[in-house]
Amino acid sequence: MTDFGFPVLFALGLWWLGTGVVLYLDNLPRRTFRWTMLGGIVVLAVAIFGFALSSLHDGRLAAYAGFTCGLVIWGVLEMSYFTGFLTGPRKLACPQDCRGWRRFWLAVLTSLYHELAIIATAVFLILIAWEQPNQVGVWTFMVLWLMRWSAKLNLFFGVPNLNEDWLPEHLRYLKSYMPNRGMNLLFPISITVSTVVVVLMVLEAIAPHSAGAAAVRLSLATTLLALALLEHWLLVLPLPDEALWSWALPNRQDAAKGDQGGSGADGGALRSAVARTRPQGGEGGDYAAPACGRRAGWASGL
């Protein structure tokens, strides 16, 4: 139980709580974002220190610490994107007639700086933990990074279950890059590869030579990968996953009123309604994505 049950529950609880916290902070009025990021920088520094310290030890406690620090580091990076502090050079909607590689490149430009920061962070963490006994922090970060890219590519190619309420108002232009489709060719590949890796990791975790801290590390990483796999399925299955984090999504009318200086409830409601229906500006204005946003949670990269 201590080698498998507790790690699974710990990873599940931290995934749920971490996703909710990031969603809540990223959907607050924009005037709060500077304080959010100042606090995030402090938390990031503590998490990096904890990551480095935990990588030196191979016990169970170090496994939980490394896993937690890896998740926190990832969470701060994601928060920097959704608050708009670290995105990319493009902040406009995709032109309606844009297709193929040009559409892909414009989509990359919306998050280019953030992707480069993730790559730099990954290299930094790998170097810190190089040849150290506890690698679970690195595994955690890499699982989140790879599954995030898988989720983003599936969103780019099109999936049926998208919820724009998960996307902050100031990033609504992103939905123009994500068509609403019944299926794409990448999705079955993503699901199959992830499932095979999960099965292999489970077999390794329950193997006799993986007892103790090794089993805990594998159980934590495997649970996170399984959650990311579940989030991929939520992109196509009609399940009400929004209920899991309903507490973390503030009333957008209140947020709009806070950002506009509080000009009345009716005015805030009208602005919110208009923001949900009008096309976002930029290079042609209109777009062909009727109901886009994101449905996958933290394990797919928020």
Side-chain angles (χ1 to χ4, degrees):
M1 180 64 180
T2 57
D3 290 348
F4 305 107
F6 289 157
V8 170
L9 293 175
F10 183 84
L12 182 60
L14 197 59
W15 164 80
W16 174 80
L17 179 62
T19 299
V21 169
V22 172
L23 280 173
Y24 179 77
L25 293 174
D26 290 344
N27 282 278
L28 289 176
R30 295 190 70 177
R31 55 186 167 79
T32 66
F33 287 174
R34 68 181 66 182
W35 303 108
T36 295
M37 287 313 303
L38 284 173
I41 291 172
V42 174
V43 171
L44 179 63
V46 173
I48 291 175
F49 176 78
F51 176 96
L53 186 62
S54 64
S55 68
L56 302 175
H57 306 278
D58 60 356
R60 287 184 173 88
L61 184 59
Y64 287 107
F67 178 79
T68 302
C69 291
L71 272 175
V72 170
I73 293 169
W74 179 263
V76 174
L77 285 173
E78 288 298 275
M79 194 166 60
S80 72
Y81 180 75
F82 283 96
T83 54
F85 277 86
L86 188 62
T87 55
R90 182 176 179 83
K91 296 178 173 63
L92 300 173
C94 184
Q96 187 174 8
D97 59 348
C98 188
R99 298 289 185 272
W101 284 106
R102 181 168 182 263
R103 175 172 165 264
F104 179 79
W105 177 241
L106 292 181
V108 169
L109 290 178
T110 63
S111 59
L112 181 61
Y113 303 150
H114 185 250
E115 297 300 338
L116 293 175
I118 290 177
I119 293 173
T121 303
V123 172
F124 178 64
L125 296 180
I126 290 172
L127 291 176
I128 289 177
W130 190 261
E131 295 185 348
Q132 300 302 327
N134 182 13
Q135 296 289 320
V136 70
V138 174
W139 299 347
T140 299
F141 195 89
M142 296 305 294
V143 165
L144 291 166
W145 182 19
L146 294 175
M147 293 304 284
R148 177 181 183 271
W149 258 108
S150 175
K152 287 183 70 173
L153 286 172
N154 277 287
L155 287 165
F156 174 80
F157 290 125
V159 289
N161 292 343
L162 300 164
N163 187 350
E164 68 180 74
D165 287 342
W166 291 61
L167 204 60
E169 293 285 352
H170 57 279
L171 294 179
R172 289 298 177 89
Y173 62 87
L174 293 175
K175 63 185 180 181
S176 64
Y177 297 90
M178 299 179 284
N180 191 292
R181 293 175 181 158
M183 179 60 69
N184 67 74
L185 295 178
L186 177 64
F187 186 79
I189 298 175
S190 299
I191 292 296
T192 301
V193 173
S194 301
T195 301
V196 170
V197 175
V198 167
V199 171
L200 292 175
M201 291 178 70
V202 169
L203 293 176
E204 180 67 17
I206 63 177
H209 62 270
S210 297
V216 172
R217 291 192 291 268
L218 281 167
S219 298
L220 289 168
T222 303
T223 303
L224 187 63
L225 180 57
L227 288 169
L229 178 60
L230 171 64
E231 290 171 356
H232 275 61
W233 278 113
L234 292 175
L235 296 173
V236 298
L237 297 177
L239 297 175
D241 58 303
E242 296 91 344
L244 287 171
W245 296 285
S246 59
W247 57 271
L249 293 171
N251 188 302
R252 291 196 184 277
Q253 295 180 17
D254 294 341
K257 184 168 66 175
D259 279 335
Q260 296 292 333
S263 58
D266 292 340
L270 177 61
R271 281 190 301 272
S272 181
V274 171
R276 290 174 184 275
T277 56
R278 71 186 176 191
Q280 305 294 320
E283 292 188 42
D286 294 336
Y287 49 83
C292 297
R294 83 174 290 302
R295 196 179 185 93
W298 207 12
S300 290
L302 253 180

